[in-house]
């Protein structure tokens, strides 16, 4: 940069210049307690190049958004990931003790089984909403708690009509 530059370099790091093929757009909550475990799980299932979409509540924004505009925003992010990085798969995430659901104590009276059952339905609903908007996309949904990662089995191979829409 020349002397007229406004930006001042404060750190050096070599980032890759090549564009990549995205393995999955990952819609997850920004709660940092679950970040390391979930990232390790993603590596474990072969997601090396994710397009992360991190927002409070994660898949809640598709399943039960506070405003319809939130769902539209998220769907648009997925479409951009598809267009820019060839994304064919979306991974949905919700987690235990999420502030967007009023946390475990406030939202579920500390009942972790009730919370897990609720999030199973949320993931099914989020997957159905996603497939309604973007037919044919591959979708998986996971509930993350303090012990690990749980598959909600919202496989996109199941026809929409047979999906448990809550
Ligand atoms: Zn959360």
């Amino acid at each position: 940069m020349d002397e007229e530059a406004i930006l001042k370099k404060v750190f050096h790091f070599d980032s890759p210049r090549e564009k990549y093929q995205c393995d999955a757009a990952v819609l997850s909550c920004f709660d940092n307690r679950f970040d390391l475990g979930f990232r390790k799980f993603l590596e474990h299932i072969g997601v090396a190049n994710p397009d992360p979409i991190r927002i409070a509540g994660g898949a809640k924004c598709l399943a039960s958004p506070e405003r319809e505009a939130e769902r539209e925003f998220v769907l648009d992010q997925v479409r951009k990931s598809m267009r820019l990085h060839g994304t064919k798969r979306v991974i949905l995430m919700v987690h235990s003790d999420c502030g967007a659901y009023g946390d475990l104590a406030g939202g579920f009276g500390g009942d972790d089984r009730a919370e897990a059952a609720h999030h199973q339905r949320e993931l099914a609903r989020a997957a159905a909403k996603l497939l309604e908007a973007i037919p044919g996309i591959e979708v998986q949904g996971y509930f993350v708690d303090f012990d690990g990662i749980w598959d909600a089995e919202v496989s996109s191979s199941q026809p929409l009509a047979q999906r448990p829409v809550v």
Side-chain angles (χ1 to χ4, degrees), residues 21-25 51 78 81-82 85-90 137:
Q21 163 83 37
C22 172
D23 298 316
D51 274 357
V78 172
S81 172
M82 294 167 75
H85 301 140
T87 304
K88 295 182 175 66
R89 175 187 184 191
V90 176
I137 192 98

Side-chain angles (χ1 to χ4, degrees), residues 96-112:
S96 182
D97 200 31
C98 185
Y101 287 97
D103 68 44
L104 177 56
F108 303 94
D111 184 344
D112 53 8

Side-chain angles (χ1 to χ4, degrees), residues 36-67:
L36 181 59
F38 196 57
R39 273 195 289 127
K40 282 184 178 291
F41 169 70
L42 291 175
E43 284 170 25
H44 175 71
I45 61 169
V47 179
N49 288 314
D51 274 357
I53 306 169
R54 298 193 70 182
I55 46 177
K60 182 180 194 298
C61 292
L62 288 178
S64 53
E66 286 173 25
R67 285 174 297 276

Side-chain angles (χ1 to χ4, degrees), residues 29 31 95 98:
C29 183
D31 192 321
H95 68 89
C98 185

